[in-house]
PDB file of all heavy atoms in Angstrom:
ATOM      1  N   SER P  43      -8.904  17.408 -19.381  1.00 88.00           N
ATOM      2  CA  SER P  43      -9.913  16.386 -19.146  1.00 88.00           C
ATOM      3  C   SER P  43     -11.261  16.765 -19.733  1.00 88.00           C
ATOM      4  O   SER P  43     -11.574  17.940 -19.919  1.00 88.00           O
ATOM      5  CB  SER P  43     -10.063  16.186 -17.632  1.00 88.00           C
ATOM      6  OG  SER P  43     -11.235  15.475 -17.355  1.00 88.00           O
ATOM      7  N   GLN P  45     -13.869  15.927 -18.051  1.00 87.00           N
ATOM      8  CA  GLN P  45     -14.669  16.187 -16.849  1.00 87.00           C
ATOM      9  C   GLN P  45     -14.587  17.677 -16.504  1.00 87.00           C
ATOM     10  O   GLN P  45     -13.602  18.334 -16.820  1.00 87.00           O
ATOM     11  CB  GLN P  45     -14.121  15.374 -15.665  1.00 87.00           C
ATOM     12  CG  GLN P  45     -14.038  13.889 -15.911  1.00 87.00           C
ATOM     13  CD  GLN P  45     -15.402  13.232 -15.912  1.00 87.00           C
ATOM     14  OE1 GLN P  45     -16.296  13.633 -15.185  1.00 87.00           O
ATOM     15  NE2 GLN P  45     -15.577  12.222 -16.746  1.00 87.00           N
ATOM     16  N   SER P 153      -3.172  -9.545  10.227  1.00 83.00           N
ATOM     17  CA  SER P 153      -3.674  -9.911   8.904  1.00 83.00           C
ATOM     18  C   SER P 153      -3.882 -11.418   8.793  1.00 83.00           C
ATOM     19  O   SER P 153      -4.462 -11.895   7.828  1.00 83.00           O
ATOM     20  CB  SER P 153      -2.715  -9.419   7.820  1.00 83.00           C
ATOM     21  OG  SER P 153      -1.527 -10.170   7.846  1.00 83.00           O
ATOM     22  N   TYR P 245     -13.692   3.477   3.531  1.00 94.00           N
ATOM     23  CA  TYR P 245     -13.499   3.812   2.119  1.00 94.00           C
ATOM     24  C   TYR P 245     -13.131   2.569   1.305  1.00 94.00           C
ATOM     25  O   TYR P 245     -13.656   2.341   0.228  1.00 94.00           O
ATOM     26  CB  TYR P 245     -12.396   4.868   2.008  1.00 94.00           C
ATOM     27  CG  TYR P 245     -12.184   5.398   0.613  1.00 94.00           C
ATOM     28  CD1 TYR P 245     -13.137   6.223   0.007  1.00 94.00           C
ATOM     29  CD2 TYR P 245     -11.045   5.079  -0.105  1.00 94.00           C
ATOM     30  CE1 TYR P 245     -12.948   6.714  -1.269  1.00 94.00           C
ATOM     31  CE2 TYR P 245     -10.839   5.570  -1.380  1.00 94.00           C
ATOM     32  CZ  TYR P 245     -11.801   6.387  -1.963  1.00 94.00           C
ATOM     33  OH  TYR P 245     -11.604   6.857  -3.226  1.00 94.00           O
ATOM     34  N   SER P 246     -12.212   1.746   1.852  1.00 91.00           N
ATOM     35  CA  SER P 246     -11.759   0.551   1.132  1.00 91.00           C
ATOM     36  C   SER P 246     -12.610  -0.662   1.456  1.00 91.00           C
ATOM     37  O   SER P 246     -12.417  -1.725   0.892  1.00 91.00           O
ATOM     38  CB  SER P 246     -10.310   0.221   1.496  1.00 91.00           C
ATOM     39  OG  SER P 246      -9.478   1.296   1.198  1.00 91.00           O
ATOM     40  N   ASN P 247     -13.542  -0.502   2.384  1.00 90.00           N
ATOM     41  CA  ASN P 247     -14.401  -1.591   2.820  1.00 90.00           C
ATOM     42  C   ASN P 247     -13.599  -2.810   3.247  1.00 90.00           C
ATOM     43  O   ASN P 247     -13.805  -3.915   2.757  1.00 90.00           O
ATOM     44  CB  ASN P 247     -15.404  -1.968   1.728  1.00 90.00           C
ATOM     45  CG  ASN P 247     -16.471  -2.915   2.259  1.00 90.00           C
ATOM     46  OD1 ASN P 247     -16.648  -3.022   3.472  1.00 90.00           O
ATOM     47  ND2 ASN P 247     -17.151  -3.592   1.368  1.00 90.00           N
ATOM     48  N   THR P 298      -3.097  11.140 -15.203  1.00 82.00           N
ATOM     49  CA  THR P 298      -3.818  11.647 -16.363  1.00 82.00           C
ATOM     50  C   THR P 298      -2.911  11.765 -17.582  1.00 82.00           C
ATOM     51  O   THR P 298      -3.280  11.380 -18.683  1.00 82.00           O
ATOM     52  CB  THR P 298      -4.420  13.038 -16.050  1.00 82.00           C
ATOM     53  OG1 THR P 298      -5.266  12.903 -14.921  1.00 82.00           O
ATOM     54  CG2 THR P 298      -5.212  13.561 -17.227  1.00 82.00           C
ATOM     55  N   ARG P 306       6.958   8.155 -13.579  1.00 80.00           N
ATOM     56  CA  ARG P 306       6.026   8.973 -12.806  1.00 80.00           C
ATOM     57  C   ARG P 306       6.602   9.551 -11.538  1.00 80.00           C
ATOM     58  O   ARG P 306       6.305  10.670 -11.153  1.00 80.00           O
ATOM     59  CB  ARG P 306       4.807   8.148 -12.451  1.00 80.00           C
ATOM     60  CG  ARG P 306       3.865   8.197 -13.601  1.00 80.00           C
ATOM     61  CD  ARG P 306       2.648   7.425 -13.328  1.00 80.00           C
ATOM     62  NE  ARG P 306       2.116   7.096 -14.622  1.00 80.00           N
ATOM     63  CZ  ARG P 306       0.939   6.565 -14.821  1.00 80.00           C
ATOM     64  NH1 ARG P 306       0.192   6.273 -13.797  1.00 80.00           N
ATOM     65  NH2 ARG P 306       0.529   6.311 -16.022  1.00 80.00           N
TER      66      ARG P 306
ATOM     67  N   LYS W  57       0.952 -14.624   1.896  1.00 84.00           N
ATOM     68  CA  LYS W  57       0.608 -15.274   3.161  1.00 84.00           C
ATOM     69  C   LYS W  57      -0.059 -16.617   2.901  1.00 84.00           C
ATOM     70  O   LYS W  57       0.277 -17.619   3.525  1.00 84.00           O
ATOM     71  CB  LYS W  57      -0.317 -14.387   3.983  1.00 84.00           C
ATOM     72  CG  LYS W  57       0.429 -13.257   4.642  1.00 84.00           C
ATOM     73  CD  LYS W  57      -0.506 -12.358   5.405  1.00 84.00           C
ATOM     74  CE  LYS W  57       0.301 -11.330   6.156  1.00 84.00           C
ATOM     75  NZ  LYS W  57       1.157 -11.946   7.197  1.00 84.00           N
ATOM     76  N   GLU W 204      -3.433   4.736 -17.296  1.00 92.00           N
ATOM     77  CA  GLU W 204      -2.723   3.653 -16.622  1.00 92.00           C
ATOM     78  C   GLU W 204      -2.425   4.114 -15.211  1.00 92.00           C
ATOM     79  O   GLU W 204      -1.934   5.226 -15.024  1.00 92.00           O
ATOM     80  CB  GLU W 204      -1.356   3.433 -17.276  1.00 92.00           C
ATOM     81  CG  GLU W 204      -1.324   2.476 -18.405  1.00 92.00           C
ATOM     82  CD  GLU W 204       0.069   2.482 -19.013  1.00 92.00           C
ATOM     83  OE1 GLU W 204       1.047   2.331 -18.254  1.00 92.00           O
ATOM     84  OE2 GLU W 204       0.163   2.676 -20.229  1.00 92.00           O
ATOM     85  N   GLN W 215      -7.418   1.172  -5.370  1.00 95.00           N
ATOM     86  CA  GLN W 215      -8.636   1.973  -5.247  1.00 95.00           C
ATOM     87  C   GLN W 215      -8.328   3.468  -5.280  1.00 95.00           C
ATOM     88  O   GLN W 215      -8.968   4.239  -5.988  1.00 95.00           O
ATOM     89  CB  GLN W 215      -9.367   1.623  -3.946  1.00 95.00           C
ATOM     90  CG  GLN W 215     -10.687   2.370  -3.808  1.00 95.00           C
ATOM     91  CD  GLN W 215     -11.383   2.078  -2.494  1.00 95.00           C
ATOM     92  OE1 GLN W 215     -10.923   1.253  -1.708  1.00 95.00           O
ATOM     93  NE2 GLN W 215     -12.483   2.753  -2.260  1.00 95.00           N
ATOM     94  N   THR W 224     -10.462  12.571 -13.770  1.00 93.00           N
ATOM     95  CA  THR W 224     -10.257  13.283 -15.034  1.00 93.00           C
ATOM     96  C   THR W 224     -10.598  12.443 -16.266  1.00 93.00           C
ATOM     97  O   THR W 224     -10.671  12.981 -17.360  1.00 93.00           O
ATOM     98  CB  THR W 224      -8.776  13.723 -15.176  1.00 93.00           C
ATOM     99  OG1 THR W 224      -7.949  12.578 -15.102  1.00 93.00           O
ATOM    100  CG2 THR W 224      -8.384  14.705 -14.100  1.00 93.00           C
ATOM    101  N   LEU W 225     -10.779  11.128 -16.083  1.00 93.00           N
ATOM    102  CA  LEU W 225     -10.972  10.268 -17.255  1.00 93.00           C
ATOM    103  C   LEU W 225     -12.401  10.320 -17.789  1.00 93.00           C
ATOM    104  O   LEU W 225     -13.344  10.537 -17.038  1.00 93.00           O
ATOM    105  CB  LEU W 225     -10.619   8.815 -16.899  1.00 93.00           C
ATOM    106  CG  LEU W 225      -9.140   8.501 -16.725  1.00 93.00           C
ATOM    107  CD1 LEU W 225      -8.962   7.053 -16.298  1.00 93.00           C
ATOM    108  CD2 LEU W 225      -8.381   8.787 -18.012  1.00 93.00           C
ATOM    109  N   TYR W 238     -10.771  -5.699  -6.743  1.00 95.00           N
ATOM    110  CA  TYR W 238     -11.836  -5.255  -5.829  1.00 95.00           C
ATOM    111  C   TYR W 238     -11.721  -3.759  -5.554  1.00 95.00           C
ATOM    112  O   TYR W 238     -12.709  -3.022  -5.582  1.00 95.00           O
ATOM    113  CB  TYR W 238     -11.766  -6.046  -4.515  1.00 95.00           C
ATOM    114  CG  TYR W 238     -12.799  -5.636  -3.500  1.00 95.00           C
ATOM    115  CD1 TYR W 238     -14.151  -5.821  -3.753  1.00 95.00           C
ATOM    116  CD2 TYR W 238     -12.419  -5.052  -2.285  1.00 95.00           C
ATOM    117  CE1 TYR W 238     -15.106  -5.443  -2.831  1.00 95.00           C
ATOM    118  CE2 TYR W 238     -13.368  -4.677  -1.351  1.00 95.00           C
ATOM    119  CZ  TYR W 238     -14.710  -4.871  -1.623  1.00 95.00           C
ATOM    120  OH  TYR W 238     -15.652  -4.486  -0.711  1.00 95.00           O
ATOM    121  N   GLN W 242     -14.454  -0.835  -6.348  1.00 94.00           N
ATOM    122  CA  GLN W 242     -14.906   0.120  -5.325  1.00 94.00           C
ATOM    123  C   GLN W 242     -14.719   1.556  -5.770  1.00 94.00           C
ATOM    124  O   GLN W 242     -15.516   2.427  -5.443  1.00 94.00           O
ATOM    125  CB  GLN W 242     -14.090  -0.097  -4.059  1.00 94.00           C
ATOM    126  CG  GLN W 242     -14.381  -1.401  -3.446  1.00 94.00           C
ATOM    127  CD  GLN W 242     -14.707  -1.207  -1.995  1.00 94.00           C
ATOM    128  OE1 GLN W 242     -15.506  -0.367  -1.610  1.00 94.00           O
ATOM    129  NE2 GLN W 242     -14.089  -1.940  -1.187  1.00 94.00           N
TER     130      GLN W 242
END
Side-chain angles (χ1 to χ4, degrees):
Chain P
S43 165
Q45 304 287 326
S153 71
Y245 185 70
S246 302
N247 191 18
T298 302
R306 276 180 203 190
Chain W
K57 283 178 174 295
E204 271 175 51
Q215 183 183 356
T224 58
L225 287 177
Y238 179 65
Q242 293 231 49

